[in-house]
């Protein structure tokens, strides 16, 4: 089910007793103006759903303790919101798959911090949110306030060329999954190869944070290993790290999203940012929205804590 309709309590889930320390997210334009004027660090805790507030109140209570007047609130703002009403993410064209994303009222909250300089940090790791505890969440906030957060981590996407001479070194010495595309350079300059190369570069960007190595091999004048059964090219295969001898051929036409879906379906372990259907996971999608919102000029990938 796509999460598009508001839960019945989305306007009322925020209890009065918390309003002296915590804020709900204002309309996106007001949020931008407020932050740009004050440039104060902020913590944004998003409840995945507000359907069952009892399952969520413990997280709000934790944020409330951190936001005590004598504690971190002097140096940072605290926002708590139900995901549906998070206008910061442009609800006009934003939706996510509720069941497919593996989210429920028991899911951990999605917690982000914004530094005074606009960098966005996620309280979790590539695979998703981590369990917040008062001590660890306070330390996270203090690092952001004191600008001791980790430096941005830039991961350069790449599609490496491979040939028979480098085959064993690159394929069998790797402890990662392999996505391998065969093509024929005789087709260079044609729409087939032009589109393929563009989509391979885009695929590399999509999976740059994943444990997947992406290679391409020109078969012009050479015969690739027989187990690939190449009747036509281009062709994409996935070699799982524990079964490199059993190549899996992509059954879809080779476009960006179909190749991404095939890799996601057949990776040894579920990808960090995409589920088995190739849909971007909620925490990754929101992290992108947050970065774009607070710093439209920023194109770096920020390392998570």
């Amino acid at each position: 089910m796509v999460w598009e309709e508001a839960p019945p309590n989305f306007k009322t889930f925020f209890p009065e007793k918390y309003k002296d320390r915590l804020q709900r997210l204002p309309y996106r334009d007001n949020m931008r103006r407020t932050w740009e004027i004050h440039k104060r660090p902020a913590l944004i805790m998003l409840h995945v759903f507000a359907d069952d507030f009892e399952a969520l109140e413990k997280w709000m209570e934790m944020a409330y303790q951190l936001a005590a007047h004598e504690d971190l609130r002097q140096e940072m703002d605290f926002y708590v919101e139900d995901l549906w009403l998070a206008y910061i993410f442009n609800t006009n064209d934003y939706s996510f798959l509720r069941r497919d994303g593996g989210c429920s009222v028991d899911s951990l909250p999605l917690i982000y911090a914004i530094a005074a300089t606009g960098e966005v940090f996620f309280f979790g790791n590539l695979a998703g949110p981590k369990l917040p505890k008062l001590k660890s969440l306070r330390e996270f906030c203090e690092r952001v306030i004191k600008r001791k957060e980790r430096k941005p981590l830039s991961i350069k996407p790449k599609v490496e060329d491979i040939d028979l001479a480098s085959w064993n070194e690159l394929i069998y010495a790797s402890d990662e999954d392999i996505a391998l595309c065969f093509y024929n350079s005789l087709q260079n300059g044609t729409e087939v190869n032009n589109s393929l190369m563009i989509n391979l570069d885009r695929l590399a960007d999509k999976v740059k944070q994943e444990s997947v190595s992406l290679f391409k091999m020109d078969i012009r004048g050479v015969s690739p290993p027989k187990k690939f059964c190449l009747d036509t090219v281009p062709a994409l295969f996935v070699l799982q790290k524990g079964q490199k001898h059993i190549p899996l051929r992509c059954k879809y036409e080779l476009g960006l999203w179909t190749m991404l879906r095939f890799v996601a379906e057949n990776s040894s372990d579920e990808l960090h940012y995409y589920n088995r259907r190739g849909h971007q996971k909620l925490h990754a999608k929101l992290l992108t929205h947050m970065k774009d919102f607070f710093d439209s000029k920023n194109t770096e990938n920020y390392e998570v804590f």
Side-chain angles (χ1 to χ4, degrees), residues 60-197:
M60 184 177 286
E61 182 65 35
M62 187 179 298
Y64 187 73
Q65 291 184 47
L66 289 177
H69 293 283
E70 66 279 5
D71 202 349
L72 297 179
R73 193 179 173 207
Q74 298 181 54
E75 301 178 85
M76 118 182 280
D77 296 321
F78 288 81
Y79 296 92
V80 178
E81 189 57 85
D82 163 51
L83 186 60
W84 195 89
L85 200 62
Y87 290 114
I88 192 173
F89 301 121
N90 191 3
T91 53
N92 291 328
D93 60 10
Y94 178 72
S95 63
F96 61 89
L97 299 172
R98 179 171 184 169
R99 292 176 183 168
D100 194 45
C103 300
S104 72
V105 292
D106 296 320
S107 297
L108 297 176
L110 303 174
I111 302 174
Y112 305 85
I114 298 90
T117 48
E119 293 94 344
V120 177
F121 297 90
F122 176 51
F123 186 76
N125 55 39
L126 291 175
K130 66 180 181 181
L131 178 68
K133 295 183 179 180
L134 191 61
K135 180 180 178 181
S136 61
L137 194 54
R138 175 180 280 109
E139 291 172 348
F140 172 68
C141 293
E142 289 173 345
R143 287 198 300 268
V144 173
I145 291 170
K146 296 175 182 178
R147 299 187 183 182
K148 292 184 178 180
E149 66 274 10
R150 296 182 184 181
K151 297 294 183 180
L153 175 65
S154 296
I155 307 173
K156 294 183 178 180
K158 60 181 178 179
V159 185
E160 293 190 65
D161 289 297
I162 188 172
D163 54 28
L164 294 179
S166 60
W167 185 271
N168 287 341
E169 177 185 357
L170 295 179
I171 297 295
Y172 294 110
S174 171
D175 59 357
E176 294 188 328
D177 289 343
I178 303 290
L180 173 61
C181 185
F182 293 99
Y183 71 99
N184 192 328
S185 59
L186 284 173
Q187 296 176 307
N188 284 354
T190 66
E191 177 61 29
V192 171
N193 272 17
N194 290 343
S195 177
L196 177 68
M197 296 306 163

Side-chain angles (χ1 to χ4, degrees), residues 222-263:
V222 299
S223 297
K226 293 181 180 179
K227 60 187 175 184
F228 288 96
C229 300
L230 282 178
D231 50 347
T232 61
V233 290
L236 178 72
F237 292 83
V238 165
L239 307 177
Q240 296 175 336
K241 58 185 178 182
Q243 302 185 77
K244 297 284 180 65
H245 61 291
I246 306 177
L248 306 172
R249 181 166 183 163
C250 182
K251 57 188 176 182
Y252 308 118
E253 184 176 347
L254 299 188
L256 170 60
W257 297 109
T258 51
M259 290 194 294
L260 177 59
R261 178 177 178 179
F262 181 72
V263 172

